[in-house]
Amino acid sequence: MKNTPKKQNARNNHARRLHSRRVMHSSRKVEWSTPDWLFEALDKLFKFSLDPCSTEENAKCKLHYTAADDGLSFSWAGHTVWLNPPYGPTIGEWMEKAVLEAQNAGTTVVCLIPSRTGAAWFQKSVLNAPKKLIFFFRGRLCFGNGKNPAAFDSVLVVYPGKEVKIPTVEEIRACICPEVNM
């Protein structure tokens, strides 16, 4: 079988697509530091009191837990939680915890996560979760101090605590619109 330029080009394109998928879905990098502008804008709306999965360097709330503390093992009851979980294999555990904690009175959990609509954890803890608001960002976020956008789309998921008014998509958009062209 002769290797024509057209066939070789098709093979190269296929290899590039496969590499792109591996990078986009890889868990080599699991920590994506929340953009300051996004947290500050949302904090005005929600008034966060707990960041359960952070590092000492990127914690967004005075009360925060690092990996050494294991934020999954603590109750988040009564807090307004900012959750930007590790985007690796444990993300499903964090999202399941977010749903459970939001069912406690007074606990609202706001999550910044990758948009992985086909993943089992996304199906279970986002799409099939009771009472939530899902906000898909237009365009891709630049995390931390990065100048380049992430290789994946992001979504904001809000799980309001019992008897807590859930904001509308319009309220979220108005909150972050000055920073993002939505």
Side-chain angles (χ1 to χ4, degrees), residues 115-159:
S115 178
R116 300 273 190 265
T117 57
W121 63 265
F122 198 98
Q123 294 284 321
K124 178 182 178 184
S125 297
V126 177
L127 298 180
N128 292 322
K131 196 174 177 188
K132 79 280 185 182
L133 176 133
I134 304 171
F135 182 87
F136 289 91
F137 289 90
R138 182 188 308 164
R140 294 182 173 175
L141 296 175
C142 295
F143 285 84
N145 295 323
K147 292 179 176 54
N148 295 318
F152 51 84
D153 295 328
S154 298
V155 63
L156 194 70
V157 182
V158 180
Y159 302 106

Side-chain angles (χ1 to χ4, degrees), residues 42-172:
L42 291 169
D43 190 39
K44 289 177 185 170
L45 183 62
F46 291 99
K47 305 202 182 341
F48 298 110
S49 60
L50 172 65
D51 183 349
C53 53
S54 64
T55 65
E56 289 297 336
E57 298 76 33
N58 71 15
K60 297 297 181 191
C61 299
K62 187 174 182 176
L63 178 58
H64 63 276
Y65 303 129
T66 65
D69 299 320
D70 185 17
L72 286 170
S73 65
F74 289 92
S75 170
W76 303 346
H79 287 284
T80 303
V81 179
W82 171 253
L83 182 68
N84 182 0
Y87 290 5
T90 63
I91 193 168
E93 295 172 49
W94 287 101
M95 295 306 293
E96 193 170 323
K97 172 86 168 171
V99 171
L100 292 173
E101 289 290 338
Q103 292 171 353
N104 291 326
T107 304
T108 296
V109 184
V110 180
C111 311
L112 176 63
I113 57 173
S115 178
R116 300 273 190 265
T117 57
W121 63 265
F122 198 98
Q123 294 284 321
K124 178 182 178 184
S125 297
V126 177
L127 298 180
N128 292 322
K131 196 174 177 188
K132 79 280 185 182
L133 176 133
I134 304 171
F135 182 87
F136 289 91
F137 289 90
R138 182 188 308 164
R140 294 182 173 175
L141 296 175
C142 295
F143 285 84
N145 295 323
K147 292 179 176 54
N148 295 318
F152 51 84
D153 295 328
S154 298
V155 63
L156 194 70
V157 182
V158 180
Y159 302 106
K162 289 181 181 172
E163 300 177 22
V164 174
K165 179 190 173 286
I166 191 168
T168 65
V169 169
E170 290 75 26
E171 289 171 317
I172 300 250

Side-chain angles (χ1 to χ4, degrees), residues 37-38 135 137-139 141 173 176-182:
W37 66 265
L38 178 61
F135 182 87
F137 289 90
R138 182 188 308 164
L141 296 175
R173 183 175 288 117
I176 61 176
C177 194
E179 301 298 335
V180 178
N181 181 16
M182 303 227 145

